Amino acid sequence: MNTQTNTPTSSQKPKILVARAIFPEALAKLEESFEVQSNQADQILTPAQLQDALSKVSAALVTGSERIDANALAHAKNLKIVANISVGYNNFDVPAITAAGAMATNTPDVLTDTTADFGFALLMATARRITESEHWIRAGKWDKWSIVNNPLGMDLHHSTVGIIGMGRIGQGIAKRALGFGMKVIYHNRSRLSEADEKACGASYVSKEELLKTADHVVLVLPYSAQSHHTIGAAELALMKPSATLINIARGGIVDDAALAQALKNGQIFAAGLDVFEGEPQVHPELLKLSNVVLAPHIASATEKTRRAMVDLAIENVYAALAGKKPPSLINAKAFKA
Ligand code: 8YV
């Protein structure tokens, strides 16, 4: 197993697992209080390695790449907390974690603005064909300025953005869109309060109306069995041929094969994708297309925000191991005061 024990002499300290590489200062802080089994090599643990590691610790810091389910927890007799360094926790089987007697936590709030900034950046890059233009220049294809023979994009200002998933990040995107004079429509499992709708300048519509009328569709909803393939061939067929689709939510929310087909056929104008089905693999048909902007799941990736995410996960661990309620507890049932 590609992990190492950093403090062999500290047997009284609780043992914790840090399943992926984190900032050295954060690791050093943890080592003051815990016997840390860390994975600074950053190789993703196999299910067997993860199961074995979880069987030896009281707490684990993990990321979206580690699936925490009944199998992973099969021998986790002392585990008190699994702290996700991520706001999305579709990698958690929450009932299985609760059944194992452990608390589950995530990292909300600290990444909202960074992720909303990125969603907007991806939207702009996609609508205005920025990466495609750069590839065009690098390929030596720019021989003259032209009114019609330059990459012509789609406007954001005064267009309609349709946001599916109106949690904290969706609302952050709506607020940014207002600055561009955009009309904001949204669809969500539950409607926002009147005050929140007003703050975002957003109107609630059905998913069908959103897909038919939005110039730009932005996906920010959590992944679950219910949200699997929220956007597939039928939904893409409802969208305008001039529309863009942005996915900063999770791989699996979009049927990537159907999307590649729609982009190829000109059924929609372009897509911007930060997440993919089966990432880090990307559907081979998407890789062939010029009207798609690709990013390697980096919506939360600024140094400041990634540090804040790690720090919040650590705060959750400290609280849990001190018998206190972690600040971002997911499974309230697992906390025994
Ligand atoms: C994480 C994310 O970096 O927080 C989320 O839900 O998608 C990203 O911020 C990623 O999940 C790795 O854990």
Side-chain angles (χ1 to χ4, degrees):
M1 177 169 174
N2 206 353
T3 59
Q4 63 194 59
T5 298
N6 295 310
T7 50
T9 54
S10 49
S11 54
Q12 275 90 317
K13 292 177 178 175
K15 292 191 172 90
I16 74 164
L17 168 72
V18 180
R20 298 295 302 281
I22 60 170
F23 300 99
E25 303 78 10
L27 191 60
K29 182 177 176 219
L30 285 169
E31 284 169 345
E32 286 169 15
S33 315
F34 306 115
E35 187 178 322
V36 183
Q37 188 180 12
S38 75
N39 178 15
Q40 290 300 89
D42 214 21
Q43 296 295 330
I44 295 178
L45 303 180
T46 64
Q49 287 173 330
L50 185 60
Q51 190 191 65
D52 180 56
L54 291 174
S55 73
K56 298 176 180 147
V57 295
S58 305
L61 283 117
V62 302
T63 72
S65 307
E66 287 74 47
R67 172 99 192 123
I68 308 298
D69 55 13
N71 180 54
L73 297 165
H75 309 295
K77 299 287 168 262
N78 299 317
L79 193 66
K80 295 196 170 46
I81 175 170
V82 195
N84 222 17
I85 308 172
S86 171
V87 65
Y89 53 88
N90 54 299
N91 57 315
F92 281 3
D93 178 338
V94 177
I97 297 173
T98 310
M103 287 178 265
T105 60
N106 66 340
T107 58
D109 301 319
V110 291
L111 49 61
T112 301
D113 281 319
T114 296
T115 304
D117 281 354
F118 183 83
F120 219 82
L122 194 55
L123 171 56
M124 294 191 79
T126 304
R128 297 300 305 272
R129 302 173 66 177
I130 292 175
T131 54
E132 186 187 346
S133 295
E134 184 180 343
H135 292 147
W136 193 66
I137 293 178
R138 289 183 192 274
K141 291 183 184 163
W142 190 26
D143 57 352
K144 57 184 176 299
W145 186 90
S146 166
I147 290 180
V148 288
N149 292 314
N150 277 168
L152 303 182
M154 294 295 165
D155 277 323
L156 265 75
H157 70 87
H158 304 102
S159 67
T160 298
V161 63
I163 302 171
I164 302 186
M166 202 60 156
R168 289 166 282 232
I169 299 168
Q171 291 176 46
I173 289 173
K175 286 174 186 159
R176 283 157 178 77
L178 291 183
F180 278 69
M182 294 167 91
K183 179 177 171 192
V184 181
I185 56 176
Y186 78 98
H187 184 72
N188 198 42
R189 274 175 305 186
S190 50
R191 202 171 159 168
L192 298 185
S193 68
E194 220 174 293
D196 286 343
E197 279 189 356
K198 205 165 163 212
C200 299
S203 312
Y204 182 81
V205 294
S206 68
K207 181 176 149 191
E208 188 175 337
E209 187 182 340
L210 183 147
L211 292 169
K212 282 183 177 166
T213 54
D215 298 303
H216 308 286
V217 174
V218 183
L219 304 172
V220 209
L221 65 165
Y223 181 81
S224 65
Q226 291 71 38
S227 66
H228 182 74
H229 286 186
T230 292
I231 302 293
E235 289 75 19
L236 290 159
L238 294 176
M239 290 174 66
K240 297 179 184 180
S242 55
T244 64
L245 177 72
I246 308 300
N247 186 7
I248 57 163
R250 273 291 178 274
I253 299 260
V254 174
D255 176 343
D256 285 349
L259 174 62
Q261 198 59 39
L263 288 164
K264 206 151 103 185
N265 298 341
Q267 214 174 345
I268 66 167
F269 180 69
L273 307 172
D274 186 44
V275 288
F276 304 87
E277 285 191 291
E279 64 185 53
Q281 255 69 56
V282 176
H283 195 289
E285 292 303 313
L286 288 172
L287 291 172
K288 292 183 197 159
L289 297 166
S290 58
N291 56 344
V292 54
V293 178
L294 306 168
H297 200 149
I298 52 167
S300 68
T302 64
E303 166 119 14
K304 191 174 164 197
T305 292
R306 285 283 167 89
R307 284 185 187 275
M309 290 164 70
V310 170
D311 288 349
L312 177 53
I314 290 175
E315 204 183 322
N316 281 317
V317 167
Y318 271 100
L321 295 189
K324 297 184 188 140
K325 189 173 172 183
S328 35
L329 182 63
I330 295 165
N331 55 348
K333 271 197 275 186
F335 175 65
K336 290 164 197 80

